[in-house]
Short mmCIF file of all heavy atoms in Angstrom, two decimals:
data_model
loop_
_atom_site.label_atom_id
_atom_site.label_comp_id
_atom_site.label_asym_id
_atom_site.label_seq_id
_atom_site.Cartn_x
_atom_site.Cartn_y
_atom_site.Cartn_z
N LYS O 190 -12.86 4.40 20.40
CA LYS O 190 -11.75 4.04 21.28
C LYS O 190 -12.23 3.27 22.51
O LYS O 190 -11.51 2.44 23.06
CB LYS O 190 -10.98 5.30 21.69
CG LYS O 190 -9.60 5.03 22.26
CD LYS O 190 -8.93 6.31 22.73
CE LYS O 190 -8.73 7.29 21.62
NZ LYS O 190 -7.91 8.45 22.06
N GLN O 191 -13.46 3.53 22.93
CA GLN O 191 -14.04 2.84 24.07
C GLN O 191 -14.62 1.48 23.69
O GLN O 191 -15.10 0.75 24.55
CB GLN O 191 -15.13 3.70 24.70
CG GLN O 191 -14.60 4.98 25.33
CD GLN O 191 -15.72 5.96 25.70
OE1 GLN O 191 -16.90 5.65 25.52
NE2 GLN O 191 -15.34 7.12 26.19
N GLY O 192 -14.58 1.14 22.39
CA GLY O 192 -15.05 -0.17 21.95
C GLY O 192 -16.47 -0.22 21.46
O GLY O 192 -17.00 -1.30 21.21
N CYS O 193 -17.13 0.93 21.30
CA CYS O 193 -18.51 0.94 20.81
C CYS O 193 -18.55 0.45 19.35
O CYS O 193 -17.63 0.69 18.57
CB CYS O 193 -19.09 2.34 20.89
SG CYS O 193 -19.18 3.00 22.57
N ALA O 194 -19.63 -0.22 18.99
CA ALA O 194 -19.79 -0.74 17.63
C ALA O 194 -19.88 0.41 16.64
O ALA O 194 -20.46 1.46 16.93
CB ALA O 194 -21.04 -1.61 17.54
N VAL O 195 -19.34 0.18 15.43
CA VAL O 195 -19.30 1.25 14.43
C VAL O 195 -20.71 1.74 14.09
O VAL O 195 -20.95 2.95 14.01
CB VAL O 195 -18.57 0.76 13.16
CG1 VAL O 195 -18.66 1.81 12.06
CG2 VAL O 195 -17.10 0.44 13.47
N ALA O 196 -21.64 0.82 13.89
CA ALA O 196 -23.01 1.23 13.55
C ALA O 196 -23.63 2.05 14.67
O ALA O 196 -24.33 3.04 14.41
CB ALA O 196 -23.85 -0.01 13.27
N ASP O 197 -23.38 1.67 15.91
CA ASP O 197 -23.93 2.42 17.04
C ASP O 197 -23.32 3.81 17.12
O ASP O 197 -24.02 4.79 17.43
CB ASP O 197 -23.66 1.67 18.35
CG ASP O 197 -24.44 0.37 18.45
OD1 ASP O 197 -25.42 0.20 17.70
OD2 ASP O 197 -24.05 -0.49 19.27
N VAL O 198 -22.03 3.92 16.84
CA VAL O 198 -21.36 5.21 16.88
C VAL O 198 -21.90 6.12 15.77
O VAL O 198 -22.16 7.31 16.01
CB VAL O 198 -19.84 5.04 16.74
CG1 VAL O 198 -19.15 6.40 16.57
CG2 VAL O 198 -19.28 4.31 17.95
N ALA O 199 -22.08 5.58 14.57
CA ALA O 199 -22.63 6.38 13.47
C ALA O 199 -24.00 6.93 13.84
O ALA O 199 -24.30 8.10 13.58
CB ALA O 199 -22.72 5.53 12.20
N TYR O 200 -24.83 6.10 14.46
CA TYR O 200 -26.16 6.55 14.87
C TYR O 200 -26.08 7.58 15.99
O TYR O 200 -26.76 8.62 15.95
CB TYR O 200 -26.98 5.34 15.32
CG TYR O 200 -28.37 5.69 15.80
CD1 TYR O 200 -29.40 5.93 14.90
CD2 TYR O 200 -28.65 5.79 17.17
CE1 TYR O 200 -30.67 6.27 15.34
CE2 TYR O 200 -29.91 6.13 17.62
CZ TYR O 200 -30.93 6.37 16.70
OH TYR O 200 -32.19 6.70 17.14
N ALA O 201 -25.25 7.32 16.98
CA ALA O 201 -25.15 8.21 18.15
C ALA O 201 -24.62 9.59 17.78
O ALA O 201 -24.94 10.58 18.45
CB ALA O 201 -24.27 7.58 19.22
N THR O 202 -23.82 9.68 16.74
CA THR O 202 -23.23 10.95 16.34
C THR O 202 -23.93 11.57 15.13
O THR O 202 -23.41 12.49 14.50
CB THR O 202 -21.72 10.79 16.07
OG1 THR O 202 -21.49 9.68 15.18
CG2 THR O 202 -20.97 10.54 17.36
N CYS O 203 -25.11 11.01 14.81
CA CYS O 203 -26.05 11.64 13.86
C CYS O 203 -25.56 11.67 12.42
O CYS O 203 -25.86 12.63 11.67
CB CYS O 203 -26.41 13.05 14.32
SG CYS O 203 -27.14 13.11 15.96
N PHE O 204 -24.81 10.65 12.00
CA PHE O 204 -24.47 10.55 10.59
C PHE O 204 -25.60 9.82 9.85
O PHE O 204 -26.30 8.99 10.43
CB PHE O 204 -23.13 9.84 10.40
CG PHE O 204 -21.97 10.69 10.81
CD1 PHE O 204 -21.40 10.56 12.06
CD2 PHE O 204 -21.45 11.65 9.94
CE1 PHE O 204 -20.35 11.38 12.45
CE2 PHE O 204 -20.40 12.46 10.32
CZ PHE O 204 -19.84 12.33 11.58
N ALA O 205 -25.76 10.15 8.57
CA ALA O 205 -26.89 9.63 7.80
C ALA O 205 -26.90 8.11 7.76
O ALA O 205 -27.95 7.48 7.87
CB ALA O 205 -26.86 10.20 6.38
N ASP O 206 -25.73 7.51 7.61
CA ASP O 206 -25.62 6.06 7.60
C ASP O 206 -24.17 5.69 7.85
O ASP O 206 -23.28 6.55 7.90
CB ASP O 206 -26.12 5.45 6.28
CG ASP O 206 -25.45 6.06 5.05
OD1 ASP O 206 -24.20 6.12 5.01
OD2 ASP O 206 -26.17 6.48 4.13
N GLN O 207 -23.92 4.41 8.01
CA GLN O 207 -22.57 3.95 8.36
C GLN O 207 -21.58 4.23 7.23
O GLN O 207 -20.41 4.55 7.48
CB GLN O 207 -22.63 2.44 8.66
CG GLN O 207 -21.36 1.89 9.28
CD GLN O 207 -21.55 0.46 9.76
OE1 GLN O 207 -22.64 0.07 10.16
NE2 GLN O 207 -20.49 -0.33 9.71
N SER O 208 -22.02 4.13 5.98
CA SER O 208 -21.14 4.39 4.84
C SER O 208 -20.69 5.85 4.81
O SER O 208 -19.51 6.15 4.60
CB SER O 208 -21.85 4.01 3.54
OG SER O 208 -21.05 4.30 2.42
N HIS O 209 -21.65 6.75 5.00
CA HIS O 209 -21.33 8.19 5.03
C HIS O 209 -20.36 8.49 6.16
O HIS O 209 -19.37 9.22 5.99
CB HIS O 209 -22.63 8.97 5.19
CG HIS O 209 -22.45 10.44 5.26
ND1 HIS O 209 -22.98 11.23 6.26
CD2 HIS O 209 -21.79 11.29 4.43
CE1 HIS O 209 -22.66 12.49 6.05
NE2 HIS O 209 -21.94 12.57 4.96
N PHE O 210 -20.62 7.94 7.33
CA PHE O 210 -19.73 8.11 8.48
C PHE O 210 -18.32 7.62 8.15
O PHE O 210 -17.32 8.31 8.43
CB PHE O 210 -20.31 7.35 9.67
CG PHE O 210 -19.37 7.19 10.84
CD1 PHE O 210 -18.73 8.28 11.40
CD2 PHE O 210 -19.15 5.93 11.40
CE1 PHE O 210 -17.87 8.12 12.49
CE2 PHE O 210 -18.29 5.76 12.47
CZ PHE O 210 -17.65 6.86 13.01
N GLY O 211 -18.22 6.44 7.54
CA GLY O 211 -16.92 5.87 7.22
C GLY O 211 -16.11 6.72 6.27
O GLY O 211 -14.90 6.89 6.43
N ARG O 212 -16.78 7.29 5.27
CA ARG O 212 -16.07 8.13 4.30
C ARG O 212 -15.49 9.38 4.97
O ARG O 212 -14.33 9.74 4.74
CB ARG O 212 -17.00 8.53 3.16
CG ARG O 212 -17.34 7.42 2.19
CD ARG O 212 -17.98 7.97 0.93
NE ARG O 212 -19.21 8.69 1.19
CZ ARG O 212 -20.42 8.14 1.25
NH1 ARG O 212 -20.55 6.83 1.08
NH2 ARG O 212 -21.49 8.88 1.47
N LEU O 213 -16.31 10.04 5.78
CA LEU O 213 -15.83 11.25 6.43
C LEU O 213 -14.75 10.96 7.46
O LEU O 213 -13.77 11.72 7.60
CB LEU O 213 -17.01 11.97 7.10
CG LEU O 213 -18.05 12.55 6.14
CD1 LEU O 213 -19.20 13.17 6.93
CD2 LEU O 213 -17.44 13.58 5.20
N PHE O 214 -14.89 9.87 8.20
CA PHE O 214 -13.90 9.49 9.20
C PHE O 214 -12.54 9.22 8.53
O PHE O 214 -11.50 9.70 9.00
CB PHE O 214 -14.38 8.24 9.94
CG PHE O 214 -13.56 7.91 11.18
CD1 PHE O 214 -13.97 8.37 12.43
CD2 PHE O 214 -12.42 7.13 11.10
CE1 PHE O 214 -13.23 8.07 13.57
CE2 PHE O 214 -11.68 6.83 12.23
CZ PHE O 214 -12.09 7.30 13.46
N ARG O 215 -12.56 8.51 7.42
CA ARG O 215 -11.30 8.19 6.74
C ARG O 215 -10.65 9.44 6.15
O ARG O 215 -9.42 9.57 6.16
CB ARG O 215 -11.54 7.15 5.66
CG ARG O 215 -10.25 6.65 5.04
CD ARG O 215 -10.45 5.38 4.26
NE ARG O 215 -9.18 4.83 3.82
CZ ARG O 215 -9.03 3.65 3.24
NH1 ARG O 215 -10.08 2.88 3.05
NH2 ARG O 215 -7.84 3.23 2.87
N ARG O 216 -11.46 10.36 5.63
CA ARG O 216 -10.89 11.60 5.09
C ARG O 216 -10.17 12.39 6.19
O ARG O 216 -9.13 13.00 5.94
CB ARG O 216 -11.99 12.47 4.50
CG ARG O 216 -12.49 12.04 3.13
CD ARG O 216 -13.55 12.99 2.62
NE ARG O 216 -13.07 14.36 2.58
CZ ARG O 216 -13.85 15.44 2.59
NH1 ARG O 216 -15.17 15.30 2.65
NH2 ARG O 216 -13.32 16.64 2.53
N ALA O 217 -10.71 12.37 7.39
CA ALA O 217 -10.12 13.15 8.48
C ALA O 217 -8.95 12.43 9.13
O ALA O 217 -7.94 13.07 9.47
CB ALA O 217 -11.19 13.45 9.53
N TYR O 218 -9.06 11.12 9.33
CA TYR O 218 -8.08 10.40 10.15
C TYR O 218 -7.26 9.35 9.40
O TYR O 218 -6.35 8.77 9.97
CB TYR O 218 -8.80 9.73 11.33
CG TYR O 218 -9.59 10.69 12.19
CD1 TYR O 218 -10.95 10.50 12.40
CD2 TYR O 218 -8.99 11.80 12.76
CE1 TYR O 218 -11.69 11.39 13.17
CE2 TYR O 218 -9.71 12.69 13.53
CZ TYR O 218 -11.06 12.48 13.74
OH TYR O 218 -11.78 13.37 14.50
N GLY O 219 -7.60 9.10 8.14
CA GLY O 219 -6.78 8.21 7.34
C GLY O 219 -7.04 6.73 7.51
O GLY O 219 -6.44 5.91 6.82
N ALA O 220 -7.91 6.35 8.44
CA ALA O 220 -8.24 4.94 8.70
C ALA O 220 -9.75 4.79 8.74
O ALA O 220 -10.48 5.76 8.99
CB ALA O 220 -7.63 4.48 10.02
N THR O 221 -10.24 3.58 8.50
CA THR O 221 -11.68 3.35 8.61
C THR O 221 -12.07 3.29 10.09
O THR O 221 -11.23 2.99 10.95
CB THR O 221 -12.07 2.03 7.94
OG1 THR O 221 -11.49 0.94 8.67
CG2 THR O 221 -11.61 1.98 6.49
N PRO O 222 -13.34 3.54 10.41
CA PRO O 222 -13.77 3.42 11.80
C PRO O 222 -13.50 2.04 12.38
O PRO O 222 -13.08 1.93 13.54
CB PRO O 222 -15.27 3.73 11.73
CG PRO O 222 -15.42 4.59 10.54
CD PRO O 222 -14.42 4.09 9.55
N ALA O 223 -13.73 0.98 11.60
CA ALA O 223 -13.52 -0.38 12.11
C ALA O 223 -12.05 -0.63 12.42
O ALA O 223 -11.71 -1.24 13.45
CB ALA O 223 -14.04 -1.40 11.10
N THR O 224 -11.16 -0.16 11.55
CA THR O 224 -9.72 -0.35 11.78
C THR O 224 -9.28 0.42 13.02
O THR O 224 -8.51 -0.09 13.84
CB THR O 224 -8.92 0.11 10.55
OG1 THR O 224 -9.31 -0.68 9.43
CG2 THR O 224 -7.43 -0.03 10.79
#
Side-chain angles (χ1 to χ4, degrees):
K190 196 184 299 188
Q191 294 168 2
C193 298
V195 174
D197 292 342
V198 171
Y200 178 80
T202 50
C203 302
F204 287 97
D206 54 51
Q207 191 171 329
S208 177
H209 179 231
F210 168 52
R212 288 194 300 272
L213 293 177
F214 191 94
R215 187 164 187 172
R216 283 181 57 202
Y218 304 123
T221 66
T224 299

